Amino acid sequence: MRRDKIYISVILFLMMLLAVAGIRLVRQRRRFNNSKRIALFNNEENYSDIRYHVIPHRGASGEEKEHTYAAYDLACDYGAKYLEQDCVFSKNGTLYVSHDLTANTSTGKRETIAELDNDTLDKAGVLKLKDVIDRYKERGITFVIEVRPVEEDNYNGEAQIDALFDLLKKYDDDLIEHVIVQAWDVETLTKAKKFNSKIKTMYLADKEENINAGVKSEDVDIVCTERSLMNSNTVGRVHNAGKLYCTYTVNTTAQITDAIRTEADLYFTNYVAKAFVMEEKYR
């Protein structure tokens, strides 16, 4: 009987040691993954700054027309550290900024932007990507640039990413470190890393089955999912891989609060000022 008690005590002691070791291993892994995440913000000071968690969606587009200087300027006036650009090609092969493939909202014309020349787009107020970079690069802005990965309505993603690289070659490494390339496929992001490893990459996913591709890839720094896919399990998977988690697009007070409480590192929003208020309150 006494021997049985000794055996039980020994087993319990060993189980306690294993539990302690497991807790330490989890904590060490968490510290390692957190350090990797902090490094993606460049330093811990940025990671602790609420402004580095909010990405203005096409500028302060809830208050000004998207992808305009008015929207970008207002976001910067609020204190934003990011500006998002969606890339499109003109007829001349110049990179412009527009989410829409057609030019109707900007020019009143039914043609796609790819069918219009630079002069027509300039007169309509559609912004060149280079002009946007030049206007804001001295303000410490990080440019979150989306390129299309496949041919789509005359937009060739392969040509877009090559054109983006050609443009970025004109700038120094300080600018490169303030660029995040976002795409819906890993291949495009791998190409971005090969071009310059200092570029940060964001993988976009709108379906549950697509998330793992971003989590597993060494060429992905940030996994960004559609808002309905955001939950603690998904965020945990991304964080355990040492990557940042981002979501789009959160606009209501409840949505922004949920993103913060779910520990999303980044999120896209049309309402920058509101997001900063919620960040101060809940981050």
Side-chain angles (χ1 to χ4, degrees):
M1 190 73 175
R2 184 179 177 185
R3 183 176 298 173
D4 289 343
K5 287 183 178 179
I6 292 173
Y7 286 153
I8 291 172
S9 297
V10 170
I11 291 171
L12 290 174
F13 177 71
L14 291 173
M15 289 175 65
M16 183 181 70
L17 287 179
L18 287 172
V20 171
I23 291 171
R24 287 179 176 174
L25 183 62
V26 168
R27 286 177 176 172
Q28 287 174 351
R29 184 176 180 181
R30 185 176 297 165
R31 281 197 297 269
F32 173 71
N33 289 333
N34 282 347
S35 66
K36 288 181 69 178
R37 287 163 57 204
I38 290 170
L40 290 172
F41 279 87
N42 293 329
N43 57 60
E44 191 164 357
E45 182 179 347
N46 289 355
Y47 187 75
S48 302
D49 188 333
I50 62 169
R51 296 174 299 172
Y52 284 91
H53 297 278
V54 178
I55 303 176
H57 186 231
R58 309 172 197 168
S61 57
E63 300 172 78
E64 298 288 349
K65 184 179 178 181
E66 66 182 46
H67 288 318
T68 61
Y69 286 141
Y72 293 152
D73 286 347
L74 183 58
C76 290
D77 289 343
Y78 284 141
K81 290 297 182 181
Y82 304 94
L83 290 176
E84 184 203 15
Q85 295 82 44
D86 297 293
C87 284
V88 291
F89 265 142
S90 71
K91 185 177 181 179
N92 304 87
T94 302
L95 287 174
Y96 277 78
V97 178
S98 174
H99 179 265
D100 296 331
L101 301 180
T102 61
N104 186 54
T105 56
S106 299
T107 66
K109 298 177 182 292
R110 293 184 179 180
E111 295 97 332
T112 64
I113 290 178
E115 296 174 291
L116 299 174
D117 59 30
N118 290 4
D119 187 56
T120 301
L121 293 171
D122 290 342
K123 288 178 180 177
V126 184
L127 304 178
K128 289 187 180 77
L129 178 60
K130 182 181 186 304
D131 291 344
V132 173
I133 292 175
D134 288 343
R135 183 182 178 98
Y136 298 103
K137 63 185 176 67
E138 301 300 332
R139 301 182 68 166
I141 291 296
T142 292
F143 301 93
V144 186
I145 304 171
E146 180 180 345
V147 290
R148 290 173 171 82
V150 294
E151 191 168 334
E152 174 186 335
D153 292 337
N154 296 325
Y155 291 83
N156 188 294
E158 188 78 13
Q160 273 197 10
I161 193 69
D162 288 339
L164 177 60
F165 295 158
D166 287 341
L167 175 60
L168 293 179
K169 287 175 184 176
K170 300 176 181 179
Y171 301 94
D172 59 22
D173 278 354
D174 183 62
L175 187 281
I176 297 296
E177 290 176 358
H178 286 81
V179 170
I180 297 173
V181 173
Q182 52 174 331
W184 295 90
D185 66 320
V186 171
E187 291 76 15
T188 295
L189 302 180
T190 296
K191 195 168 183 180
K193 284 292 188 182
K194 287 181 179 179
F195 167 70
N196 193 315
S197 61
K198 293 182 179 180
I199 286 180
K200 296 180 180 65
T201 54
M202 178 185 291
Y203 175 75
L204 302 169
D206 58 359
K207 296 179 182 178
E208 176 68 33
E209 57 266 29
N210 295 340
I211 296 174
N212 272 341
V215 170
K216 293 178 179 179
S217 174
E218 294 182 357
D219 294 318
V220 171
D221 298 315
I222 307 162
V223 176
C224 186
T225 76
E226 197 273 331
R227 187 182 71 246
S228 65
L229 300 176
M230 179 182 66
N231 56 62
S232 57
N233 288 334
T234 298
V235 175
R237 282 163 55 198
V238 174
H239 284 173
N240 286 338
K243 303 177 188 297
L244 300 181
Y245 176 81
C246 178
T247 189
Y248 68 92
T249 303
V250 294
N251 287 326
T252 68
T253 299
Q255 290 168 354
I256 294 169
T257 302
D258 189 36
I260 296 169
R261 288 178 171 170
T262 312
E263 297 188 27
D265 302 288
L266 300 158
Y267 53 88
F268 288 87
T269 182
N270 298 345
Y271 298 96
V272 183
K274 181 199 296 186
F276 286 154
V277 171
M278 295 300 103
E279 284 284 332
E280 285 282 7
K281 193 171 183 179
Y282 296 112
R283 177 70 65 179

